Amino acid sequence: MARSDEAAAFFHAVYSAVQEIPPGKVTSYGHIAKLIGTPQRPRQVGVCLKHLPSDPGARFNHDNVPWQRVINSKGIISPRSVPSATLNQATVLQAEGVTVTSNAMGELIVDLREYGWFPRSLPSEGDEGLESSSEEESEQGEELEQEDENDTADRGNVRGRRRR
């Protein structure tokens, strides 16, 4: 199915932004959405990465877009319908030097304080994508907590609607 011009532009923006994440670093779906000017669309960032072509002839593909460097705002590698995909993402990140641990629930986690990449803008946009200062890291932590709260609230609203 052909994508609309708007969807194609969004996919292009997501893939281009993800290409700027340095090796050995990770960021969140929400931060990619924020960097491309659509902070309300973190889930759509995930959809774009889900549909990243494996064809090496495609302009953007699994080989030139480091999809593995995008995780959720809690530092957790998001579960997928195929359980081996989560383990595959952890393996690829570990090969880049990122430590991936498992919590009590068996979720695969990356320490965002150590491996997080949260520039104010993309390096390609000219201000060198300066890394956050400790004050800005604190603000980023607050933003991540807000994303978590919003995500939890969204799930609660969905559950509430289903019960009706």
Side-chain angles (χ1 to χ4, degrees), residues 49-119:
L49 294 174
K50 177 181 179 180
H51 294 288
L52 181 63
S54 56
D55 175 9
R59 178 175 183 183
F60 297 108
N61 60 65
H62 280 266
D63 295 330
N64 66 16
V65 176
W67 54 271
Q68 72 276 6
R69 298 179 191 154
V70 184
I71 60 178
N72 77 23
S73 63
K74 295 177 185 174
I76 298 171
I77 295 175
S78 297
R80 296 172 178 78
S81 58
V82 178
S84 62
T86 306
L87 292 173
N88 181 46
Q89 185 172 2
T91 301
V92 176
L93 284 171
Q94 289 167 332
E96 293 187 355
V98 175
T99 300
V100 179
T101 58
S102 182
N103 67 13
M105 295 180 60
E107 297 168 314
L108 298 172
I109 300 176
V110 173
D111 184 347
L112 293 176
R113 290 170 296 189
E114 184 172 353
Y115 299 103
W117 182 78
F118 300 100

Side-chain angles (χ1 to χ4, degrees), residues 1 8 15 29 40 93 124 138 161:
M1 182 169 125
Y15 295 153
Y29 299 100
Q40 72 282 10
L93 284 171
S124 63
S138 176
R161 278 182 257 158

